[in-house]
Amino acid sequence: MINNNIVVSQPKYLCMAGVNFEKADTQTRAKFHLTDEAYSSLLTWLSANGYKDIFVLSTCNRTEIYGISPDPNNLIDILCRFTEGSAELFKHYAYTKICDDATEHLFRVAAGLNSQIIGDNEIVTQIRMAAEKARNYGCLDVFMERFVNSAIEVSKRIKSETAISNGTTSLSYAVIHYLKQIKTDWSSSKIMVIGLGEIGKATALNIKNYLSNTPYVSNRTNIKASMFAAERNLFSIDYSLMTAFIENADVVITATASTTPIVKAAHFYKNKKTILIDLGIPPNASNDVISASNIQYVDVDDLSKILEETFEQRRQALPFAEKIIKEQLQKLYDWHVKRRHAGLLKNIKLHLVEIENEGANKETIDRRFRKFAGEVHKTNTGCEVIETAYNILMVEPSVN
């Protein structure tokens, strides 16, 4: 049984706090979404204030902060220094976890078990990127590094050993699924993708591969759009001409990290029905778009709902995934216990050298070590090992 008190250094614990799609709608989640710039500012503040063990996962479906802290509320207060939403609003929608519960939560997130789309393949990449950025600012210590790597290992095992990720049901594919429900032939339609982050790129390529359509792509950095289009044989549109193109488009897909709306109802031709698929968090469309009669507006929550019927096979794999998570929890806990008592083992080695240097004969040393080994074999906890070492070998306890 796993000890439910993974304590790094009293009285601090592994804690997490987050908001996600289960309780918070798109507009609320947007208030706590961290742009790359905001995340850099947060990490700069953490580094300047001596924090070495905190990272934030911020995606379209969730914002979660993980760290070593006396209390999850402390992490919420830190996070909300850099978000539009207040700490009070965050706490209203938040879930908080500590110790093994926090560990298991990240493992489940990494495996895609807590995603709107079960088995989501994109989330583990987002975790890796969030951790890498924290590492670059010196905010990912040894334990947090192992914590994140364990979550990534969980994801790899579950994807390779179960059917949890069978089929293509990422958010970018959900766009294809949605469009195919409307009609089967999109080959001659004008489809535009605005924003070329990971989701935007994947969506553009899926349109080409699954809809036999060559989409137009646009990005605030024009060179990025032109290079991507050249590499993938797509069309590129200068960002300054984006609004002019929207008027004639059949489908517009937005996937930018802009903190302000980039698409408005005035950009669309009133006598033409246009589909707007908004993958942005915060939303890339202004409020007047949602109510416009000539625009069929779809956001990430809508896309997740239409794929619900395809997940039965993945649900059947959940018990196997849960078993892997429990195994990896135990593996991380065992590593953590050994790490906590590394100082003790070092002291044992030094003490035995001192005994030998003081002239103790080999028989005395062997007798003490055999007794120690025999007692350790019968113990179940790190604390008992420490007590045994102290009583038999006269080694001072240490958890350095």
Side-chain angles (χ1 to χ4, degrees):
M1 188 69 178
I2 299 175
N3 186 315
N4 198 40
N5 290 295
I6 296 184
V7 181
V8 176
S9 59
Q10 292 286 6
K12 295 183 178 181
Y13 306 84
L14 172 61
C15 302
M16 71 77 55
V19 294
N20 68 11
F21 63 92
E22 292 179 346
K23 287 182 64 177
D25 61 19
T26 305
Q27 299 292 334
T28 302
R29 297 198 304 271
K31 293 181 183 297
F32 301 104
H33 180 74
L34 284 182
T35 63
D36 287 343
E37 182 179 355
Y39 190 25
S40 295
S41 297
L42 184 152
L43 291 170
T44 298
W45 184 91
L46 289 173
S47 182
N49 286 274
Y51 290 91
K52 299 180 179 179
D53 39 30
I54 293 177
F55 75 95
V56 178
L57 173 64
S58 189
T59 74
C60 61
N61 283 328
R62 71 185 69 242
T63 295
E64 296 178 344
I65 182 168
Y66 295 82
I68 307 302
S69 175
D71 186 281
N73 287 325
N74 183 53
L75 297 180
I76 294 175
D77 292 337
I78 291 173
L79 172 66
C80 292
R81 287 170 174 262
F82 301 89
T83 61
E84 177 187 340
S86 66
E88 289 71 26
L89 182 63
F90 189 97
K91 291 172 185 177
H92 177 74
Y93 290 97
Y95 43 91
T96 61
K97 301 177 186 293
I98 66 170
C99 303
D100 278 7
D101 290 338
T103 307
E104 182 173 355
H105 180 79
L106 183 64
F107 284 8
R108 293 178 62 83
V109 170
L113 303 191
N114 279 22
S115 297
Q116 281 186 308
I117 301 172
I118 298 174
D120 176 24
N121 285 313
E122 294 168 356
I123 187 67
V124 70
T125 300
Q126 293 165 327
I127 291 172
R128 187 182 289 111
M129 292 173 63
E132 181 179 355
K133 193 157 189 177
R135 185 186 305 114
N136 292 339
Y137 281 80
C139 295
L140 208 68
D141 68 359
V142 175
F143 176 80
M144 294 299 284
E145 185 86 50
R146 185 68 175 236
F147 173 47
V148 171
N149 288 341
S150 295
I152 294 171
E153 184 178 352
V154 165
S155 176
K156 289 179 179 177
R157 283 195 59 193
I158 288 176
K159 286 176 173 57
S160 65
E161 297 176 27
T162 76
I164 204 72
S165 292
N166 281 6
T168 309
T169 52
S170 64
L171 189 60
S172 57
Y173 179 75
V175 172
I176 306 304
H177 189 93
Y178 175 79
L179 292 174
K180 280 187 172 181
Q181 285 185 331
I182 297 174
K183 66 177 187 178
T184 56
D185 185 6
W186 289 93
S187 58
S188 60
S189 301
K190 287 187 177 181
I191 302 178
M192 183 181 195
V193 178
I194 306 171
L196 292 176
E198 292 302 318
I199 292 178
K201 287 180 178 179
T203 302
L205 294 178
N206 281 344
I207 290 169
K208 183 177 182 181
N209 293 333
Y210 295 106
L211 299 183
S212 300
N213 179 290
T214 303
Y216 294 79
V217 296
S218 184
N219 195 73
R220 189 178 297 275
T221 306
N222 286 317
I223 187 65
K224 183 175 183 179
S226 59
M227 290 180 64
F228 179 69
E231 291 171 0
R232 301 293 185 168
N233 293 319
L234 309 177
F235 301 123
S236 65
I237 295 291
D238 191 282
Y239 195 77
S240 64
L241 302 176
M242 174 189 71
T243 55
F245 185 87
I246 287 175
E247 189 174 90
N248 297 308
D250 298 300
V251 180
V252 177
I253 301 164
T254 60
T256 81
S258 175
T259 56
T260 57
I262 63 168
V263 177
K264 301 177 182 179
H267 296 154
F268 295 81
Y269 187 54
K270 291 184 179 180
N271 295 325
K272 177 180 173 63
K273 190 75 172 181
T274 305
I275 298 171
L276 173 59
I277 301 176
D278 190 348
L279 304 180
I281 294 290
N284 292 156
S286 59
N287 290 332
D288 62 351
V289 167
I290 300 173
S291 58
S293 60
N294 61 315
I295 302 170
Q296 188 170 333
Y297 180 77
V298 181
D299 65 11
V300 292
D301 290 344
D302 297 321
L303 291 175
S304 297
K305 290 174 185 176
I306 66 170
L307 288 178
E308 181 64 25
E309 62 191 49
T310 68
F311 296 145
E312 186 54 37
Q313 181 183 13
R314 294 187 173 196
R315 290 194 184 96
Q316 292 176 2
L318 286 176
F320 303 100
E322 299 284 2
K323 181 175 181 291
I324 291 172
I325 287 175
K326 295 299 182 185
E327 292 172 359
Q328 294 299 122
L329 275 171
Q330 186 65 58
K331 185 176 179 180
L332 178 61
Y333 175 73
D334 291 344
W335 170 86
H336 176 66
V337 169
K338 290 178 181 178
R339 175 175 172 267
R340 288 185 64 199
H341 303 315
L344 170 67
L345 297 176
K346 181 179 179 180
N347 285 350
I348 289 174
K349 182 178 180 179
L350 292 174
H351 188 63
L352 290 175
V353 171
E354 289 174 2
I355 292 174
E356 186 177 20
N357 291 339
E358 289 172 1
N361 59 44
K362 186 176 184 299
E363 183 180 347
T364 300
I365 296 174
D366 287 347
R367 185 172 64 252
R368 285 195 186 186
F369 217 91
R370 281 196 301 272
K371 185 177 181 182
F372 173 67
E375 291 299 319
V376 167
H377 182 71
K378 294 186 291 184
T379 64
N380 294 314
T381 70
C383 292
E384 292 176 3
V385 172
I386 291 175
E387 185 177 357
T388 300
Y390 180 72
N391 291 335
I392 297 176
L393 300 176
M394 299 305 290
V395 177
E396 291 294 335
S398 170
V399 290
N400 294 329

